[in-house]
């Protein structure tokens, strides 16, 4: 550990659970990204999340629970469609928005009546949630608007001294945030595409609607995290090009490339991150934020990124690129 580091990395689940129960902040791994967790029933602890991330309070948090029974205790209604989805996809990268009970802090939901809630599919996360015995509100464990963390070191790089413990569970397997589906609308509505492809949802419950982000409402209460027009963004300027387009560095600028598969690459790039040699979208998703973070650390003037096929996980990856490029 660097001598200047103030945040402890640990695999001690008991210590992390004690920290959560006592009002502390614990970063922990999920299958999607690392979350910055606090007891969702404790408004003072939840407020520390917003302070630590410098996150606006109109952007809500997702609550993590150990199992379906725990979820039922936190919501006013758990309809049959929710049970169908839970049976099919929990534990996993699906967040359901359901009417919350009063014990969930209004700060978690930006004052809205619905809470996004899920059961994560990571052994350390599930062990932590069971040991803590409380619902855990947890956005991604990084400064607000920046690149999401997929390793414990990413968390410490961004939040050193602002999180009490980081539970180190290695790299995240899915690599992009959960799909958020609201069940508080007439037709189930995808608020944020993510680690569960929309096609998989529709195979279980039929057609779903898709929310459209409205940049004019960026400073209003959001129904889900990840809906702001700029998010997941590197400090370096990011430009997105078509998946089949030949990438060319910007003349006179230190240029990086985020690509995948056998995409043709012109010479002259100062750095290249190829997310998957075979264009496998699961591999691309698992490596996406780490690849973007690597390029952002190399003192570049611009990052050029190939877009992804508009199906499966490509929908979520293109959503992240769109918001990262602002």
């Amino acid at each position: 550990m660097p001598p200047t580091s103030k945040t402890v990395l640990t695999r001690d689940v008991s210590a992390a659970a004690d920290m959560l129960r006592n009002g502390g902040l614990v970063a922990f791994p999920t299958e999607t990204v690392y979350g910055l967790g606090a007891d969702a029933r404790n408004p003072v602890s939840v407020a520390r999340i917003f302070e630590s991330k410098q996150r606006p309070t109109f952007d809500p948090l997702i609550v993590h629970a150990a199992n379906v029974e725990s979820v039922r205790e936190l919501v006013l209604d758990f309809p049959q469609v929710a049970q169908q989805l839970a049976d099919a996809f929990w534990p996993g990268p699906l967040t359901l928005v359901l009417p919350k009970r009063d014990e969930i802090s209004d700060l978690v939901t930006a004052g809205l009546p619905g809470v996004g809630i899920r059961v994560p599919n990571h052994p350390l996360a599930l062990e932590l949630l069971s040991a803590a015995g409380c619902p855990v509100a947890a956005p991604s464990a990084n400064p607000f608007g920046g690149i999401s963390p997929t390793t414990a070191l990413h968390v410490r790089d961004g939040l050193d001294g602002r999180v009490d413990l980081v539970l180190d569970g290695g790299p995240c397997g899915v690599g992009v945030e959960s799909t958020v589906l609201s069940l508080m609308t007439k037709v189930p509505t995808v608020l944020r595409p993510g680690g569960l492809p929309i096609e998989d949802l529709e195979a279980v419950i039929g057609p779903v609607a898709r929310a459209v982000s409205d940049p004019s409402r960026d400073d209003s209460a959001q129904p889900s995290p990840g809906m702001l027009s700029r998010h997941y963004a590197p400090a370096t300027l990011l430009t997105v090009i078509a998946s089949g387009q030949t990438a060319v560095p910007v003349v006179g600028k230190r240029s990086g490339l985020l690509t995948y598969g056998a995409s043709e690459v012109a010479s002259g790039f100062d750095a290249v991150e190829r997310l998957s040699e075979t264009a496998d979208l699961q591999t691309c998703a698992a490596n996406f934020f780490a690849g973007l973070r690597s390029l952002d650390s190399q003192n570049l003037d611009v990052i050029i990124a190939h877009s992804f096929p508009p199906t499966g996980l490509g929908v979520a990856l293109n959503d992240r690129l769109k918001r990262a490029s602002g």
Side-chain angles (χ1 to χ4, degrees):
M1 181 184 297
T4 57
S5 178
K6 300 176 183 177
T7 295
V8 175
L9 271 58
T10 182
R11 292 185 63 86
D12 188 340
V13 172
S14 178
D18 287 343
M19 186 68 71
L20 285 172
R21 284 194 298 269
N22 291 320
L25 295 187
V26 173
F28 63 98
T30 75
E31 77 281 23
T32 58
V33 300
Y34 273 71
L36 180 62
D39 185 342
R41 305 165 304 182
N42 184 335
V44 174
S45 296
V46 172
R48 284 192 62 200
I49 292 177
F50 288 92
E51 179 183 16
S52 295
K53 282 177 60 75
Q54 299 182 323
R55 181 186 183 99
T57 56
F58 56 70
D59 201 25
L61 311 178
I62 289 172
V63 173
H64 298 69
N67 48 50
V68 177
E69 291 70 26
S70 299
V71 172
R72 285 181 174 275
E73 294 173 359
L74 300 171
V75 298
L76 295 172
D77 184 35
F78 196 79
Q80 179 59 34
V81 65
Q83 188 62 56
Q84 285 180 271
L85 291 164
D87 289 342
F89 302 118
W90 279 355
L94 173 64
T95 294
L96 299 178
V97 179
L98 297 161
K100 80 177 186 73
R101 293 187 185 272
D102 289 343
E103 67 184 276
I104 297 295
S105 167
D106 285 341
L107 191 55
V108 169
T109 64
L112 298 175
V115 59
I117 194 162
R118 80 181 186 100
V119 180
N121 189 18
H122 192 289
L124 274 186
L126 293 173
E127 187 179 347
L128 173 65
L129 291 164
S130 295
C134 64
V136 175
S140 57
N142 59 296
F144 178 71
I147 302 172
S148 298
T150 53
T151 70
L153 289 177
H154 292 165
V155 177
R156 194 170 65 190
D157 287 346
L159 295 177
D160 193 23
R162 288 184 275 167
V163 56
D164 298 312
L165 284 178
V166 180
L167 193 60
D168 188 353
C172 299
V174 173
V176 293
E177 293 82 357
S178 62
T179 300
V180 179
L181 182 73
S182 176
L183 298 183
M184 297 184 66
T185 50
K186 186 174 182 180
V187 176
T189 300
V190 174
L191 302 180
R192 178 182 73 184
L196 180 68
I198 294 172
E199 297 92 333
D200 291 5
L201 285 174
E202 294 185 323
V204 173
I205 63 171
V208 299
R210 305 189 191 194
V212 177
S213 297
D214 181 358
S216 69
R217 292 183 54 82
D218 270 3
D219 59 354
S220 304
Q222 303 291 310
S224 165
M227 295 189 72
L228 297 173
S229 56
R230 182 167 173 80
H231 208 57
Y232 315 111
T236 310
L237 176 68
L238 177 68
T239 299
V240 182
I241 62 174
S243 58
Q245 184 176 344
T246 299
V248 178
V250 178
V251 176
K253 301 287 187 182
R254 283 182 51 79
S255 302
L257 177 65
L258 188 71
T259 190
Y260 58 92
S263 302
E264 185 178 349
V265 177
S267 61
F269 279 97
D270 295 278
V272 176
E273 287 287 337
R274 195 175 293 272
L275 302 178
S276 167
E277 295 292 338
T278 62
D280 176 71
L281 288 179
Q282 286 188 335
T283 305
C284 287
N287 294 330
F288 177 75
F289 284 127
L292 191 56
R293 185 180 293 269
S294 173
L295 291 172
D296 196 35
S297 71
Q298 296 185 54
N299 195 31
L300 301 170
D301 298 309
V302 62
I303 298 169
I304 296 170
H306 276 121
S307 63
F308 297 86
T311 58
L313 287 172
V315 175
L317 291 167
N318 285 333
D319 173 79
R320 302 307 187 269
L321 284 178
K322 176 183 175 182
R323 297 180 198 280
S325 63

